[in-house]
């Protein structure tokens, strides 16, 4: 909406890589460090094209990234996502795309920033802020439980009438 202040993160896929767009600054950073299906050990090669020291390559990747299934995500970019979320005080909208197994099961990714801001959602500084949190349909109930969200704080984007009433609090948007 015109004139509204928006903060948060959108995950963008371009050329088979995942990026994060930081909405408060409209900047984009590379999140995904590897090609899907490429084994982390083989992302570093020597001059002859042979895989170099596996242990050293894995140590470097591990220190700079978070592994989620076949993906390696940049710790630095995830740290920037925490700053984006935590610094969203005074914004009309906060968008978080997306919360998934990394946050719920491993407490990584956008955690602990998401938990911290959602605990403050009813405080004076966030009482007028609207939240949109994108999740997979299969995780919607687990995320609602994990973040202690009430039924009136949850909806689906295919339920437009219900969404308009939810916009006063939080919307968990199932992405189909």
């Amino acid at each position: 909406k015109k004139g509204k202040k928006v903060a948060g993160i959108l995950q963008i896929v371009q050329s088979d890589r995942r990026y994060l767009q930081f909405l408060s600054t409209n900047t984009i950073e590379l999140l995904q460090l590897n090609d899907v299906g490429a084994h982390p050990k083989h992302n570093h090669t020597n001059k002859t094209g042979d895989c170099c020291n596996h242990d050293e390559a894995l140590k470097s990747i591990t220190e700079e990234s978070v592994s989620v299934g076949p993906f390696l995500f940049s710790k630095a970019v995830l740290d920037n996502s925490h700053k984006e979320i935590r610094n969203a005080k005074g914004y009309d909208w906060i968008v978080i795309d997306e919360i998934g197994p990394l946050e719920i099961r491993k407490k990584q990714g956008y955690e602990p920033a998401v938990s911290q801001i959602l605990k403050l959602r009813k405080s004076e500084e966030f009482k007028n802020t609207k939240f949109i949190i994108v999740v997979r349909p299969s995780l919607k109930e687990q995320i609602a439980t994990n973040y202690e969200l009430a039924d009136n704080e949850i909806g689906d984007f295919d339920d437009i009438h219900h969404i308009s009433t939810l916009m006063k609090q939080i919307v968990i948007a199932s992405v189909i």
Side-chain angles (χ1 to χ4, degrees):
K1 228 175 174 182
K2 194 172 187 173
K4 299 290 183 180
K5 290 176 58 179
V6 180
I9 42 185
L10 289 178
Q11 193 173 126
I12 301 166
V13 178
Q14 186 175 11
S15 301
D16 295 325
R17 293 285 177 131
R18 282 156 177 74
Y19 296 79
L20 289 187
Q21 180 176 3
F22 297 91
L23 299 176
S24 68
T25 59
N26 200 30
T27 57
I28 297 174
E29 296 182 22
L30 178 66
L31 175 65
Q32 181 184 333
L33 300 176
N34 67 326
D35 292 327
V36 175
H39 193 283
K41 287 183 180 180
H42 300 284
N43 284 346
H44 294 78
T45 57
N46 62 20
K47 293 177 186 174
T48 63
D50 297 328
C51 191
C52 59
N53 184 326
H54 293 284
D55 294 334
E56 193 60 38
L58 278 177
K59 182 180 176 188
S60 172
I61 289 168
T62 303
E63 290 172 356
E64 299 169 8
S65 66
V66 174
S67 176
V68 183
F71 302 104
L72 293 174
F73 294 140
S74 166
K75 283 184 182 177
V77 174
L78 289 171
D79 287 346
N80 290 341
S81 74
H82 294 194
K83 292 173 190 166
E84 176 77 6
I85 294 167
R86 286 187 182 122
N87 293 333
K89 295 176 182 119
Y91 282 80
D92 300 298
W93 291 86
I94 299 173
V95 178
I96 302 170
D97 175 22
E98 86 181 270
I99 295 177
L102 184 61
E103 289 77 17
I104 296 300
R105 295 185 188 121
K106 292 187 173 186
K107 303 296 183 206
Q108 294 178 334
Y110 304 144
E111 282 298 337
V114 171
S115 290
Q116 292 167 345
I117 201 161
L118 288 179
K119 284 179 183 170
L120 296 172
R121 71 187 183 272
K122 296 180 181 178
S123 69
E124 190 64 32
E125 61 193 342
F126 289 104
K127 74 176 186 178
N128 295 318
T129 302
K130 297 163 187 70
F131 293 80
I132 297 178
I133 301 171
V134 179
V135 303
R136 298 175 199 160
S138 62
L139 294 175
K140 186 169 99 173
E141 287 187 30
Q142 185 178 3
I143 287 172
T145 300
N146 188 70
Y147 294 112
E148 300 176 357
L149 303 175
D151 288 344
N152 68 347
E153 294 179 301
I154 301 169
D156 295 314
F157 275 122
D158 60 338
D159 186 0
I160 299 299
H161 174 72
H162 187 65
I163 290 267
S164 65
T165 60
L166 294 173
M167 290 301 192
K168 294 182 173 85
Q169 296 279 334
I170 297 175
V171 175
I172 292 185
S174 297
V175 179
I176 301 172

